[in-house]
Amino acid sequence: MTRLQQKPTRAIKIIVEKDNDGYVAYPLGIKGVVVGEGDSYEEALADIKSAINYHIEIFGQEVLEEESSVLEAFVAEPKVPI
């Protein structure tokens, strides 16, 4: 594909979590289960981008929500009694 014939792109919000074994990433606004992982943030992000591309290739653009209802994502850590 030439520069003028590039596929259209779309921004997808990705959640990246760090745990003891590395990083896990998953998208918001995509139907189905799509997960990426890596030893670093960058590896997990690259893996999830690849997984999203594959998911769309296999299942079609129907897996993308028309318009994601998620405007922003936040992480909160309130203390709760246990």
Side-chain angles (χ1 to χ4, degrees), residues 5-69:
Q5 297 172 325
Q6 290 179 342
K7 289 183 179 181
T9 60
R10 179 175 181 173
I12 296 175
K13 290 177 178 61
I14 305 292
I15 303 296
V16 181
E17 299 177 1
K18 180 180 180 186
D19 61 27
N20 292 330
D21 296 324
Y23 293 79
V24 176
Y26 53 92
L28 301 176
I30 293 183
K31 298 173 190 170
V33 178
V34 183
V35 178
E37 62 183 356
D39 292 330
S40 69
Y41 175 90
E42 291 78 13
E43 287 178 11
L45 197 56
D47 194 43
I48 193 63
K49 287 168 66 176
S50 175
I52 291 168
N53 286 331
Y54 182 73
H55 192 70
I56 294 169
E57 184 179 311
I58 296 300
F59 297 105
Q61 290 192 3
E62 295 79 33
V63 299
L64 300 173
E65 292 181 356
E66 281 293 317
E67 188 172 318
S68 177
S69 60

